[in-house]
Amino acid sequence: MDYQKDLDAFYDSINVDYAAYVANTLSQFGSNETLGFRMAGSEAELAAGHFLYQEFNSIGLKNVRKEKVIVDSWEFKNGELYYLDQKNTPKKITLSAYASNCIRENKTFDLVYVGKGTKKDYENIDVKGKLVLIDLDSYIGCQIGICALQARHKGAYGIIAAPINENQKLPTDALTYENFTAPADIPAFSISLKDGYILKTLLIQSPSSKISVILNCYSKVSPDSTSYNIIGEIPGRDTNDIILVMSHYDGLFHNFHSGACGCGLLLSLARALINSHYIPSKTIIFIAHSAKEWGLTNSSFNWSIGGYQQITKNHPEWAEKAFVAINLEGFVAHDEYDYHHIRTAYEYKELVNAIQKIVTGCPYKQGCLIDAPTTILSDDFAYSQSGVPTIISYRPINENHLTTYQTNYDLIHNHFSRSAFEYCHKLYGTIIILFDQMKIKPFNFEKLFHALEESLDFESYHHYKELYFLIHDAKWCAKNLYEFTQRNHFTDSEAKYINQQLHYLYLMIQQSFVRLSWYGANIFPHEAHQENILHLREAIRLLKKEKLKSAVEQLCRVDLNLYAFYFDKKTYQFYIHQSCHQDDEHLTWGRDLLLSELDLYDIIETLQRKHSWEDIYVEIQHLKEILKEEEFRQEKVIEEEMVHLKQIIDWMRSLYRRP
C-alpha cells in the first residue's frame, strides 16, 4: 500500500483556521440568545444546516443536498425565574430548559423544595400546582425524566433541578442538561449550583417552606416536524464502495467542543482532501446529522434520530457498501485531558490502534487511547446495527468533561487547543486515506469472540462447555478468515463478493450479540441474565442472614429496580413500558435491545417496611422462584448464542475455504 505521498499532500493542505471558523460560526446559532440551543427542527438548527449546506458547496463537495428527516422539534427561546431575596429585592435567575412544553409570561407559582425528588422526599409536602425544586443526584441513578414524572404524579406543575457537585468539578454558575425522557407536557428546568443554594436557603428559612416565584419561559415541542441531514461527496473511482464521515450539527447550549468542532473537522477534512487533489478509490460521503442530542418526545431512545433515519430510511443501501463510518462526535480540539479517545468496533480496534501509531504530533501526555466496543451515546450506533463498523472521536472517561460537556461552558474560549485540532486533522485524515486504499474490509472477528469469552462468569464458563468450545472454534476460524482476506490478492469481482459476505456476517453478529444493560452499556445477551442471577442469589443469601438492607441493595441492581426503590410504582412501571413496550416509532434504534425486565417493586417495597426479626419466608420463596425463572431464561439465551455461533463458524469457514 503506497500511501505516504497522499498523506503528505493531505497534511500540507490542512487548515486549522478554517475548521475553527466553521466550528465557532456553527456554535453561534441558537434559539436562546444567552444560552444557544440549536435543537431538532428549530429555526436555529435549520439556519445552521443551511450554513453547512453552503459550506459543503463552497469547498467543492459534489452532489450536495439536504435530506429530510422527521423529528419532534424543540424551540427553547428563554427561561427566567424571578424571586425576592432576604431584603425583599427582586432577583432574576436564568433557567435552562429540558425538552418540554412551557410558554409562560409573568406567571406566579409557589416553589417548594423536595430534596432529591424521590417518593420519600414528597411525604407530607403539598406540591399540587406548584413548582418543585430538587437536587438532581445522578450519582444514585436518578435522572431528570423520572424525577419529572414523579413530580407530575404527585401533582406538581413542573420541576426545577439543581445539580449536585460531589466531585467539585462543575463551576458553581454552570447550567447543565441531561437526557429528558418524560412526556413533553411536564415543564422541566435546570439551574446552577449557586442559584440552587440561594433558593434552598430561602425555602429553609420560610415559615411555610415555600416562596413565591414568577416564571417567564418559551419552550415548545412540536411533533412530526422536519429537519435535514446535510450530505456531500467526493466521488471515487469505484462507486460500489463508500466511506462515511459524519458529525452532528444540532447542539445543547453553544455545544462547541461536543458537537460544533466535529462539524468543523468534518468540513476541514473534506476541504483538505479536495485541495490536495486526492482522488479516492471509494466515494467518500460526508454527513452532518441533525437531531443527535434529542429528536423524539416520550421515548427512552430519543437521541441520534437524524442518524437513525439516515441509515434505516434515507439510505439503507449504504450499509452494504460502507467500509467504515467515521463519526467526529466532538472533543477534537480540547486541551483538558491527558489523551485523545477513540471508540470503535472490536473487529477494528487493533487496526485503528496501529494506524494512530503512525500519526505524529499528538499533544496529549498519554497519546491516543483506543477502546471497544462502540457506544449508544453517539449517533453512529444505528449504523453499527445496520452492519457498518464505526470509529468515533469520543469524550475521555473522566470527570473533567463535566466542566464543558452539556453545559453553558462549552465555548471556544474554554480549553480550545489548536495543536489538538491539528493532530485530529492528521489522525482522522490518515484513517480516511488508509481505509480508502483497502480492497477488503479489514474485519478481525477474533477480538469479538475473545470479548465474548471474557464476558462469561465462572459458572457460565464451566457449566456450558459447548459454548466454551464453540468460542474457541470461532476464534480460530476468525483468525484464518482475517489472514485469508488480508494476505491474498483478489479480482474486483472476488473482492466485491467477499466484502458483501463480510458485511452480512458483521450484521448477523450485531443482531445476535449486541444488547443493552438498563444503564446503556453494550453487553452480550447472556450478560443481562448473568448479572441478575448474581444479584438475586446474593440477595437470597443476605435475607437468610436477616440482612434486609443489604439484600435490598442487591435487588436494586437487578434491571431497573433501583427506580423501584426511589420512586412510586406508577412512575417505575411507566419507564419499564416506555423502554420495552412502545411502538417502533418510539423505540427507534433501541428496539429489542433490552432482554430482561424483572419487576421486583412489590418485594423491595415489602422488605423496606420489615425489620430483620420479622418473618421473610414468603419473600425468600418468591425470590427463589424468580431466580429459577431467570436461570431458565439464561439457559435459553445461551442456547441461542450457541446456535448463532455455529452458523457464524460455518459462514467463516465457507469464506476462507472457498476455491
Side-chain angles (χ1 to χ4, degrees), residues 20-39 42-49 51-52 76 249-257 259-261 263 408-414:
Y21 154 73
V22 171
N24 194 36
T25 302
L26 185 60
S27 71
Q28 302 309 307
F29 289 95
S31 300
N32 187 306
E33 289 185 9
T34 304
L35 299 177
F37 282 87
R38 53 185 185 278
M39 300 306 295
S42 66
E43 292 180 10
E45 195 209 41
L46 293 173
F51 162 71
L52 292 176
F76 171 44
Y249 68 92
D250 63 320
L252 298 160
F253 301 100
H254 292 289
N255 196 243
F256 177 80
H257 285 294
C261 64
C263 273
N408 55 328
Y409 273 73
D410 193 354
L411 302 163
I412 188 171
H413 57 260
N414 289 327

Side-chain angles (χ1 to χ4, degrees), residues 311-369:
I311 192 62
T312 61
K313 296 182 179 180
N314 291 358
H315 289 286
E317 77 282 0
W318 281 356
E320 184 180 315
K321 295 180 176 182
F323 267 55
V324 66
I326 301 166
N327 184 15
L328 307 171
E329 174 75 9
F331 293 92
V332 291
H334 204 288
D335 68 359
E336 197 178 6
Y337 309 115
D338 292 331
Y339 59 90
H340 180 66
H341 192 196
I342 290 178
R343 297 197 71 92
T344 188
Y346 288 116
E347 294 85 350
Y348 277 12
K349 181 181 177 182
E350 205 169 66
L351 175 64
V352 174
N353 191 48
I355 291 174
Q356 66 87 15
K357 289 179 180 179
I358 69 171
V359 180
T360 60
C362 180
Y364 297 100
K365 294 177 186 177
Q366 298 177 23
C368 182
L369 175 68

Side-chain angles (χ1 to χ4, degrees), residues 300-301 303 308 375-377 381-382 384-386 507 509-529 559 579-581 584 587-597:
S300 294
F301 310 102
W303 66 97
Y308 168 72
T375 169
I376 65 169
L377 297 179
F381 184 72
S384 293
Q385 288 181 298
S386 299
L507 177 61
I509 287 171
Q510 297 301 299
Q511 294 171 341
S512 303
F513 290 105
V514 176
R515 298 294 184 271
L516 296 180
S517 76
W518 275 95
Y519 297 97
N522 286 21
I523 60 174
F524 293 103
H526 66 266
E527 288 184 277
H529 304 292
D559 293 341
S579 301
C580 299
H581 303 294
D584 287 354
L587 290 175
T588 64
W589 48 264
R591 181 169 56 89
D592 298 331
L593 293 183
L594 292 165
L595 281 186
S596 178
E597 48 178 299

Side-chain angles (χ1 to χ4, degrees), residues 426-604:
K426 294 173 67 177
L427 175 62
Y428 291 99
T430 301
I431 291 172
I432 291 169
I433 289 171
L434 294 189
F435 267 89
D436 179 57
Q437 297 185 13
M438 295 175 187
K439 194 166 188 176
I440 302 294
K441 296 176 183 178
F443 284 110
N444 185 349
F445 296 108
E446 184 180 2
K447 304 306 175 186
L448 166 84
F449 298 125
H450 178 75
L452 176 61
E453 183 178 14
E454 289 288 307
S455 71
L456 295 168
D457 66 14
F458 180 84
E459 181 175 331
S460 299
Y461 190 83
H462 289 277
H463 183 69
Y464 299 100
K465 287 295 185 183
E466 186 180 1
L467 176 61
Y468 168 78
F469 290 119
L470 283 171
I471 291 173
H472 276 258
D473 284 348
K475 288 196 291 186
W476 175 253
C477 290
K479 181 180 180 181
N480 288 336
L481 177 60
Y482 183 69
E483 291 176 353
F484 169 76
T485 58
Q486 299 304 306
R487 287 183 178 179
N488 290 285
H489 297 283
F490 300 100
T491 65
D492 289 346
S493 61
E494 288 174 330
K496 181 179 179 181
Y497 172 79
I498 291 171
N499 283 327
Q500 182 188 58
Q501 292 297 301
L502 289 172
H503 158 70
Y504 285 107
L505 181 57
Y506 181 71
L507 177 61
M508 180 182 178
I509 287 171
Q510 297 301 299
Q511 294 171 341
S512 303
F513 290 105
V514 176
R515 298 294 184 271
L516 296 180
S517 76
W518 275 95
Y519 297 97
N522 286 21
I523 60 174
F524 293 103
H526 66 266
E527 288 184 277
H529 304 292
Q530 181 175 276
E531 286 297 306
N532 286 347
I533 289 168
L534 173 71
H535 297 305
L536 286 168
R537 286 176 177 169
E538 182 63 6
I540 292 169
R541 185 189 72 81
L542 290 166
L543 286 176
K544 289 178 178 178
K545 291 187 172 294
E546 300 180 346
K547 296 181 178 180
L548 272 65
K549 183 178 179 181
S550 296
V552 168
E553 289 176 359
Q554 289 296 317
L555 295 178
C556 287
R557 296 178 184 178
V558 174
D559 293 341
L560 197 61
N561 284 284
L562 182 65
Y563 285 4
F565 181 85
Y566 284 117
F567 300 103
D568 288 341
K569 190 170 188 177
K570 182 179 179 182
T571 305
Y572 164 72
Q573 291 185 336
F574 174 91
Y575 275 95
I576 296 289
H577 179 269
Q578 184 189 73
S579 301
C580 299
H581 303 294
Q582 281 191 301
D583 55 37
D584 287 354
E585 179 185 349
H586 285 85
L587 290 175
T588 64
W589 48 264
R591 181 169 56 89
D592 298 331
L593 293 183
L594 292 165
L595 281 186
S596 178
E597 48 178 299
L598 290 181
D599 184 347
L600 305 179
Y601 193 97
D602 292 338
I603 296 176
I604 290 173

Side-chain angles (χ1 to χ4, degrees), residues 50-62:
H50 187 66
F51 162 71
L52 292 176
Y53 174 80
Q54 292 176 316
E55 288 297 316
F56 273 46
N57 278 298
S58 70
I59 63 175
L61 286 170
K62 305 299 182 185

